[in-house]
Amino acid sequence: MSIRTLILVIMNSLIFLVVLVLSVTFYYQFSKVLDDRILLQLNSIKTLKKVQIEKLIDDEWLEFNTEFANNDSLVSVDTSDVILPKNRQFKSGIYDLTAYSETGKTAIGLILNKGGRMVFKVVDYNKIKSILLERTGMGNTGESYLVGEDLKMRSPSRFYPDSLPSKIKVETNGVISAFAGNEGRAVIKDYRDVDVYSLFSAIKISNLHLAILSEIDTSEVNAPLIKLKVRLFELILITMLIAVVLSLFLTKIITRPIINMQKSLKIMASGDYNQTSTFRKNSTEINDMFEALDNLKKSLQGAVKFSNEMGELNLNTEYVPKGNNDLLGKSLLKMRDKLIEFRNNENRNRMNTKRLLVDGLENERQRLSRELHDGIGPLLTSLKFYIENRIESKRKRTEMKQLLDATISEIRSMSNDLMPSTIDDFGVGAALSNFVESIKQSSDIDIEFEDLTNPENSKIAKNQAINLFRIGQELINNTLKHGNASQIRLTLSEFENFISFFYFDNGKGFDLNTVKLGSGIINIKERVEICQGDIDINSKEGRTTFEIELPINNE
């Protein structure tokens, strides 16, 4: 094999290897990113539609109850074509009445049973349809739909618009998993026997059990990947064609000094030494050629190594281009910067999702607390006045008042656990103090709380106050349930630029290297992360501490 052929093979092999590695790495990363984004988008759509359906049904139920709460002459409202069986009595609640529809149309029924007399109303099907048929962000093949416990659809299929939903059987793994109480995602075959990305979960309201699914065909999701694969293949071919042409040109230049040297050696072998000076020049060029090849080899090795690091998502790896003309190096750096940008965006989206979930949970707790306090509380108080004034037996009156007082106290305790009103009125320090006092009354454990906040001019934001209260609540409950501790100490300090929360107990502790952390500690870490704070956990037998710092200006 001639040296020119050898150089051609080596150079083109190296270039092909680098291009192939970069292409495969980029294709793999793009595929993973695409899958994550599709599933994230489908999950957002499914969650939104689930919330909208649940809110629609809750609003209809609330309106129905309000309309007939004080009406003794109940009459069924807008029952459409639903005929309930006469031999069955329904309790008040929300039911799937599709089975009793004469036309087979979907019927979500609201039933109110008052004194053995029933009145019911069917939720407007068009309202449910309008929510599920809204396809923003679903592409050309995406859809969201409901499925009943009989494994038949309860919302229209965009693929079979002329068929009644109750006539379409949906016995897929996603539906079965949803009714089994699982919420998740998978690539499955849908009711059309087509491969889809599927996000599923259950809707349980009163006696109504439905499954909601958001799906999109894998063929549509993979279409960009197919195009990318074709373009990468074309890029490899074009790159190799250019590489072959360039290498032919370069090898001509590279082999010229060797040919000159060969000629010089032949002249010298014939006894003519006048070409010695020319030989020396050519010898220098050959040396430079091998030095250049060695540098090229090192450069390509660095590029491949850097590509592998990016393929393993080690994005902090440094790479320095060989110069202003190093297009490969610049391209790799641009690729790394794009991946870093995507990872940062993904982290921000993940943090925003966690923050929204926690905020939603706290808002729901606040709503439940307000309903317990403002709704059930006054009713129990009115019942207490009724007992005091209407029950003639002193013994029964005393027993009923004791039972009612205990109920009122329990309701107040539940309301306070859900959302202490003292947080808004007096701050997180007062809320934790009250919680500690309640623990003292119900437990023999030695517990002390030191409040070093500034209640009159506190800079602690509301979301920080709620998260700090929940963290303290979770830590104390964990110690009471699992720690076997006899002593608990808490300190909450407010400084100029940060908040410090310290927790100590003398329980049995746990090994951070081997213990499987429960949802309690995971929730604590997520709340600290949401507030952009730091947490340090140390635990051994007889001493477990949690040290948490939150920035004071994080609202």
Side-chain angles (χ1 to χ4, degrees):
M1 182 182 292
S2 66
I3 190 169
R4 184 175 182 182
T5 304
L6 183 62
I7 292 173
L8 280 171
V9 171
I10 292 174
M11 289 183 64
N12 286 288
S13 297
L14 287 173
I15 294 173
F16 176 77
L17 179 62
V18 172
V19 174
L20 182 63
V21 168
L22 292 177
S23 299
V24 171
T25 303
F26 181 78
Y27 179 84
Y28 172 77
Q29 293 300 324
F30 183 81
S31 174
K32 186 175 182 300
V33 169
L34 184 62
D35 281 351
D36 290 343
R37 295 208 44 157
I38 289 295
L39 291 171
L40 180 62
Q41 183 172 346
L42 274 180
N43 186 59
S44 300
I45 292 171
K46 185 264 296 179
T47 302
L48 174 62
K49 292 188 183 298
K50 179 181 177 183
V51 171
Q52 289 175 329
I53 292 293
E54 291 175 341
K55 184 177 185 303
L56 170 65
I57 296 174
D58 285 339
D59 290 344
E60 292 282 340
W61 176 247
L62 179 61
E63 181 182 350
F64 188 54
N65 274 269
T66 303
E67 183 178 355
F68 294 101
N70 299 314
N71 189 355
D72 292 328
S73 57
L74 301 178
V75 179
S76 293
V77 179
D78 186 25
T79 59
S80 298
D81 59 344
V82 176
I83 299 178
L84 297 181
K86 296 181 179 180
N87 59 350
R88 178 180 175 184
Q89 282 292 322
F90 290 84
K91 295 181 180 180
S92 295
I94 305 169
Y95 294 81
D96 183 0
L97 303 179
T98 305
Y100 305 114
S101 172
E102 289 186 331
T103 61
K105 292 183 178 179
T106 299
I108 305 301
L110 314 175
I111 297 180
L112 189 62
N113 192 325
K114 187 171 183 181
R117 298 178 60 194
M118 290 191 304
V119 62
F120 71 97
K121 174 184 178 182
V122 176
V123 177
D124 188 353
Y125 180 57
N126 290 325
K127 294 181 180 179
I128 297 175
K129 224 168 43 167
S130 65
I131 292 174
L132 293 171
L133 292 182
E134 168 57 39
R135 295 181 51 251
T136 302
M138 297 290 286
N140 296 323
T141 60
E143 68 170 344
S144 296
Y145 57 90
L146 297 175
V147 181
E149 289 186 290
D150 58 356
L151 301 182
K152 293 183 179 179
M153 294 186 77
R154 293 294 185 267
S155 60
S157 167
R158 60 167 298 212
F159 300 104
Y160 306 116
D162 298 328
S163 300
L164 282 174
S166 59
K167 302 298 182 183
I168 301 175
K169 187 83 169 180
V170 188
E171 192 172 359
T172 65
N173 292 334
V175 173
I176 294 172
S177 296
F179 281 124
N182 300 321
E183 180 174 356
R185 62 189 188 182
V187 177
I188 61 173
K189 289 189 179 295
D190 68 355
Y191 59 92
R192 300 168 295 144
D193 202 33
V194 174
D195 290 330
V196 295
Y197 285 85
S198 179
L199 275 291
F200 50 84
S201 62
I203 295 178
K204 293 184 179 181
I205 306 175
S206 184
N207 298 296
L208 178 66
H209 294 163
L210 298 172
I212 183 168
L213 299 94
S214 290
E215 298 174 340
I216 187 171
D217 291 2
T218 56
S219 59
E220 181 178 359
V221 176
N222 293 330
L225 288 176
I226 296 173
K227 291 182 180 178
L228 177 63
K229 188 185 295 184
V230 172
R231 292 191 177 182
L232 286 175
F233 182 75
E234 292 174 350
L235 178 63
I236 292 175
L237 289 179
I238 293 173
T239 303
M240 290 308 302
L241 180 61
I242 295 174
V244 169
V245 173
L246 289 177
S247 60
L248 287 172
F249 176 74
L250 290 174
T251 51
K252 184 177 180 180
I253 299 175
I254 292 170
T255 56
R256 186 177 298 164
I258 299 177
I259 294 173
N260 290 337
M261 182 179 65
Q262 182 186 33
K263 292 178 179 179
S264 297
L265 289 174
K266 285 183 177 181
I267 293 172
M268 290 176 63
S270 65
D272 185 359
Y273 299 103
N274 295 325
Q275 301 295 325
T276 303
S277 59
T278 303
F279 171 75
R280 289 175 180 175
K281 286 182 180 181
N282 289 339
S283 178
T284 303
E285 292 173 357
I286 293 174
N287 184 61
D288 291 342
M289 178 188 67
F290 281 104
E291 287 182 359
L293 285 174
D294 188 53
N295 291 333
L296 175 61
K297 178 181 177 182
K298 292 178 180 178
S299 177
L300 292 175
Q301 286 177 340
V304 172
K305 182 180 179 181
F306 185 60
S307 300
N308 290 333
E309 293 292 334
M310 285 196 297
E312 296 175 0
L313 290 183
N314 297 326
L315 303 183
N316 293 325
T317 303
E318 293 294 332
Y319 178 76
V320 179
K322 297 303 179 181
N324 294 329
N325 296 324
D326 188 358
L327 299 180
L328 177 61
K330 291 180 179 179
S331 299
L332 290 173
L333 290 177
K334 286 182 180 179
M335 187 183 298
R336 182 194 64 182
D337 293 340
K338 288 294 182 182
L339 289 173
I340 291 174
E341 181 182 355
F342 170 77
R343 184 177 65 180
N344 293 337
N345 290 335
E346 187 179 26
N347 289 336
R348 280 195 295 270
N349 291 335
R350 179 175 57 83
M351 185 60 62
N352 288 335
T353 301
K354 286 184 179 179
R355 186 176 291 111
L356 289 173
L357 289 175
V358 171
D359 290 345
L361 176 62
E362 295 300 338
N363 290 336
E364 184 64 15
R365 284 177 171 172
Q366 188 173 19
R367 183 186 69 80
L368 291 174
S369 173
R370 187 165 55 250
E371 288 185 1
L372 285 172
H373 185 273
D374 298 341
I376 299 177
L379 293 176
L380 293 175
T381 304
S382 299
L383 182 58
K384 181 178 179 181
F385 288 142
Y386 178 86
I387 292 170
E388 290 175 344
N389 297 318
R390 297 297 182 90
I391 303 302
E392 296 181 357
S393 173
K394 184 176 181 180
R395 182 180 61 81
K396 289 184 177 180
R397 185 168 62 244
T398 301
E399 291 177 354
M400 294 176 71
K401 284 177 61 180
Q402 289 176 349
L403 181 59
L404 193 57
D405 286 340
T407 303
I408 293 173
S409 176
E410 183 64 22
I411 290 294
R412 286 175 179 170
S413 177
M414 291 170 61
S415 176
N416 191 63
D417 285 343
L418 284 170
M419 183 56 67
S421 59
T422 50
I423 286 183
D424 290 332
D425 299 334
F426 304 104
V428 63
L432 281 172
S433 295
N434 290 343
F435 180 69
V436 168
E437 290 301 321
S438 68
I439 296 298
K440 284 183 178 180
Q441 295 175 7
S442 60
S443 174
D444 295 332
I445 195 168
D446 177 17
I447 178 171
E448 296 293 338
F449 170 61
E450 185 177 10
D451 181 13
L452 299 179
T453 61
N454 184 7
E456 296 181 356
N457 190 25
S458 178
K459 296 181 180 179
I460 300 177
K462 182 178 179 179
N463 72 315
Q464 290 177 323
I466 293 174
N467 283 316
L468 285 169
F469 176 78
R470 296 298 180 205
I471 290 171
Q473 198 177 39
E474 186 70 46
L475 287 172
I476 293 174
N477 289 334
N478 281 349
T479 299
L480 294 176
K481 290 179 182 178
H482 313 293
N484 296 331
S486 61
Q487 188 180 74
I488 297 176
R489 294 291 182 266
L490 303 91
T491 303
L492 180 62
S493 306
E494 180 180 354
F495 298 96
E496 182 68 23
N497 297 319
F498 66 94
I499 310 157
S500 175
F501 181 79
F502 177 79
Y503 180 87
F504 161 84
D505 71 51
N506 64 346
K508 62 182 181 181
F510 52 87
D511 188 350
L512 284 171
N513 297 321
T514 59
V515 71
K516 184 178 180 180
L517 297 180
S519 60
I521 294 181
I522 291 175
N523 289 338
I524 290 171
K525 288 185 173 182
E526 287 185 347
R527 289 182 180 273
V528 173
E529 185 181 7
I530 287 171
C531 294
Q532 298 181 357
D534 297 314
I535 182 171
D536 182 38
I537 305 174
N538 292 285
S539 182
K540 62 181 180 180
E541 186 173 357
R543 179 178 176 83
T544 296
T545 61
F546 287 75
E547 297 181 62
I548 298 170
E549 285 190 4
L550 307 181
I552 203 73
N553 59 348
N554 178 50
E555 174 58 48

